């Protein structure tokens, strides 16, 4: 093959070319581009955030978007992904890549699920039902919040009417143990596969936006899982309401054996950052851990979850499943989290922004964006299967020295 220097062919801009260009209103306005993603011009999670933030009332956007105190951890959760760079291996056949993983006895489309988040009906009237339908359509699992605005039975049913889907039930430790038990039993009867016991919230984090805005769930919305009506919600601030319901006296010995005695569902601990707590979860026979800081909404100045992940994965040594959430905004972030030891990732705010953007369709679009990006990242790094994703695909750029391998 001749690789010598050649003169590039001249491409004259004919009058037809000029007319064609003048017709274009934007890069995606032609009928050649058909997917929902292109047509809506929503190409990224940042686009979804912008759309949600401009359409929601300010107090609601602030509630969804904010973290605790100075927002340091919330910011770090995403920013910390930026210190890793991708190191592709080339000339590998990536015409077919396997993105799926088994989770709770069924394959999901790619290693991403939707974290439990309360108050979804403040983002869109169909709230958790729309999220469940979208997750089912896109073949991923959904976490149901104890602060859901719909009963778990309706949420699981909504998704399963679209396609078989696994849900997990998020649980707080409550002052009222009988109520806590009712949540567990209802979730199990509704087909949930696991309890995600949120361990990072004995009290609510310091949320200046909520205090400034006197935040409460809007009139008409209630919390059927923790059995609190709209009237009861209106009687107290969100902060006081949470404190009245949630137990600050929770501990491993009181919670885990009790949970084991009342359910056959898997028991996962959500909100772990220290490897010592991974060890304790193993001692108590838990099935999994979510490395999470609650999206930076609880204790500010905790480390970014991607920074806490490697030590947690090392402590697990394959004895307990390790998942991660917090700040994941692209398929590349998912790829990096897998390379650093997570089996699967979860996203919180992206689903809320997507709901506010366009309900069920919005959440489908959000999942499509992350799926496309993750798959393309696998192809462009030369990874054909999930097991190909390792630290060998990552590098860190030092300001002064050569590329550092992990
Ligand atoms: C508005 C909102 C409500 C949330 N509600 C809950 C909840 O009820 N229970 C829980 O364990 N975590 C809750 N979370 C935390 C998420 O499960 C998840 O850990 C976090 O959102 C992940 O970070 P990300 O939003 O940056 O993806 C909530 C998060 C947000 C943003
Ligand atoms: C609607 C209550 C959700 C509580 C919570 O976990 C959070 O705000 O982060």
């Amino acid at each position: 093959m001749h690789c010598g220097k050649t003169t590039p062919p001249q491409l004259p801009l004919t009058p037809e070319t000029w007319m064609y260009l003048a017709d274009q209103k934007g890069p995606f306005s032609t009928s050649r581009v058909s997917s929902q993603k292109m047509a809506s011009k929503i190409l990224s999670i940042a686009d979804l955030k912008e759309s949600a933030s401009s359409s929601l009332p300010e107090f609601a956007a602030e509630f969804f978007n904010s973290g605790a105190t100075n927002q340091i951890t919330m910011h770090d959760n995403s920013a910390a992904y930026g210190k890793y760079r991708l190191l592709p291996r080339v000339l590998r056949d990536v015409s077919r890549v396997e993105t799926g993983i088994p989770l709770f006895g069924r394959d999901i489309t790619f290693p991403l699920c939707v974290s439990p988040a309360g108050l979804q009906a403040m983002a869109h009237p169909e709230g958790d039902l729309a999220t469940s339908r979208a997750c089912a359509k896109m073949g991923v699992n959904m976490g149901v919040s104890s602060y859901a605005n719909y009963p778990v039975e309706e949420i699981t049913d909504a998704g399963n009417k679209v396609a078989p889907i696994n849900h997990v039930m998020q649980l707080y430790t409550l002052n009222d143990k009988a109520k806590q038990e009712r949540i567990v039993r209802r979730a199990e009867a509704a087909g949930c596969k696991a309890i995600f016991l949120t361990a990072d919230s004995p009290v609510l984090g310091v949320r200046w936006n909520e205090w400034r805005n006197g935040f409460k769930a809007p009139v008409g919305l209630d919390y059927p899982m923790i059995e609190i009506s709209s009237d009861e919600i209106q009687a107290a601030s969100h902060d006081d309401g949470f404190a009245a319901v949630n137990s600050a006296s929770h501990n491993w010995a009181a919670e885990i054996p009790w949970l084991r005695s009342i359910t056959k569902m898997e028991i996962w601990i959500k909100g772990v950052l220290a490897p010592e707590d991974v060890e304790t979860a193993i001692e108590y026979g838990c099935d999994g851990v979510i490395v999470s800081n609650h999206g930076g909404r609880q204790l500010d100045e905790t480390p970014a979850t991607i920074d806490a992940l490697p030590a947690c994965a090392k402590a697990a040594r394959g004895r307990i499943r390790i998942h991660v959430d917090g700040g994941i905004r692209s398929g590349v972030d998912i790829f990096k989290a897998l390379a650093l030891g997570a089996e699967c990732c979860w996203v919180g705010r992206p689903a809320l922004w997507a709901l506010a953007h366009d309900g069920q369709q919005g959440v489908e679009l959000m999942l499509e964006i992350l799926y496309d990006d993750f798959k393309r990242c696998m192809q462009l790094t030369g990874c054909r299967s999930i097991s190909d994703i390792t630290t060998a695909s990552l590098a860190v750029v030092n300001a002064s020295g050569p590329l550092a391998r992990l």
Side-chain angles (χ1 to χ4, degrees):
M1 193 177 166
H2 175 67
C3 293
K5 207 171 169 194
T6 55
T7 315
Q10 294 300 307
L11 294 174
L13 284 182
T14 63
E16 289 74 24
T17 315
W18 282 113
M19 276 177 61
Y20 172 81
L21 291 171
D23 265 358
Q24 308 307 302
K25 303 221 165 32
F28 302 121
S29 62
T30 78
S31 57
R32 283 173 292 127
V33 183
S34 58
S35 88
Q36 189 199 358
K37 185 170 74 173
M38 302 295 193
S40 70
K41 299 192 185 175
I42 296 280
L43 303 180
S44 68
I45 304 303
D47 290 341
L48 284 170
K49 178 180 182 183
E50 201 180 312
S51 165
S53 304
S54 60
S55 63
L56 286 167
E58 196 177 327
F59 78 93
E62 281 198 0
F63 178 77
F64 289 144
N65 296 357
S66 301
T69 326
N70 288 307
Q71 323 290 313
I72 291 169
T73 295
M74 188 187 68
H75 170 265
D76 283 359
N77 269 350
S78 290
Y81 278 92
K83 65 174 167 274
Y84 299 102
R85 289 286 172 262
L86 302 166
L87 199 60
R89 297 299 306 275
V90 296
L91 287 177
R92 290 178 168 178
D93 178 354
V94 287
S95 52
R96 291 170 64 89
V97 297
E98 191 46 68
T99 60
I101 60 162
L103 190 58
F104 306 121
R106 181 181 286 144
D107 279 5
I108 55 173
T109 310
F110 70 123
L112 183 91
C113 299
V114 173
S115 294
L119 258 182
Q120 299 197 11
M122 190 168 74
H124 186 275
E126 289 171 20
D128 320 79
L129 304 180
T131 304
S132 182
R133 291 185 189 113
C135 287
K137 183 128 181 247
M138 303 302 287
V140 303
N141 296 344
M142 173 190 176
V144 178
S145 166
S146 281
Y147 282 79
N149 298 123
Y150 286 91
V152 66
E153 298 83 357
E154 288 180 29
I155 297 171
T156 54
D157 197 46
N160 278 304
K161 279 199 174 118
V162 174
I165 163 180
N166 288 332
H167 295 83
V168 302
M169 182 76 219
Q170 178 271 328
L171 188 70
Y172 282 112
T173 49
L174 304 184
N175 291 320
D176 183 342
K177 266 305 191 233
K179 188 184 277 192
Q180 204 179 329
E181 180 169 345
R182 282 196 293 279
I183 297 175
V184 175
R185 295 203 185 279
R186 284 177 62 183
E188 187 155 15
C192 290
K193 299 294 180 214
I195 287 293
F196 275 20
L197 183 70
T198 299
D200 56 23
S201 306
V203 294
L204 207 62
V206 176
R207 314 232 180 125
W208 287 338
N209 78 90
E210 294 184 22
W211 300 354
R212 211 172 26 237
N213 296 330
F215 181 80
K216 308 174 169 167
V219 175
L221 298 186
D222 53 21
Y223 299 130
M225 296 312 295
I226 50 167
E227 304 167 10
I228 297 187
S229 68
S230 180
D231 287 349
E232 286 163 316
I233 292 170
Q234 302 316 314
S237 69
H238 179 55
D239 194 38
D240 289 343
F242 193 90
V245 172
N246 285 56
S247 164
S249 66
H250 65 188
N251 64 80
W252 292 92
E255 293 301 326
I256 313 303
W258 174 74
L259 273 177
R260 272 282 175 240
S261 74
I262 62 164
T263 182
K264 291 196 167 25
M265 288 183 284
E266 291 190 14
I267 298 171
W268 290 53
I269 309 297
K270 177 173 181 284
V272 167
L273 294 169
E276 292 84 352
D277 277 337
V278 175
E279 288 288 354
T280 311
I282 295 168
E283 278 164 32
Y284 276 92
C286 297
D287 299 279
V289 153
I290 313 292
V291 176
S292 172
N293 50 33
H294 214 109
R297 294 166 72 82
Q298 283 299 102
L299 180 61
D300 201 16
E301 302 196 42
T302 55
T305 50
I306 193 65
D307 289 334
L309 173 66
C312 289
K314 192 168 167 214
R317 282 189 281 119
R319 295 172 295 164
I320 192 167
R321 326 278 289 262
I322 301 284
H323 290 194
V324 67
D325 77 11
I328 293 160
R329 302 291 179 260
S330 69
V332 170
D333 291 345
I334 299 171
F335 183 94
K336 290 175 181 175
L338 262 63
L340 291 167
E343 178 191 40
C344 185
C345 298
W346 297 67
V347 285
R349 292 181 185 85
L352 299 167
W353 295 326
L355 270 181
H357 171 69
D358 195 13
Q360 177 188 342
Q361 284 206 335
V363 181
E364 287 172 20
L365 175 59
M366 181 275 289
L367 292 169
E368 186 194 316
I369 288 170
L370 293 179
Y371 171 74
D372 283 354
D373 193 38
F374 176 71
K375 182 177 173 196
R376 228 176 268 235
C377 181
M378 284 184 70
Q379 291 175 302
L380 292 173
T381 50
C383 293
R384 280 171 295 232
S385 69
I386 296 293
S387 59
D388 289 342
I389 303 173
T390 67
T391 49
S393 296
L394 299 188
V396 176
V397 183
N398 294 317
S400 53
L403 207 57
R405 303 295 294 271
L406 296 170

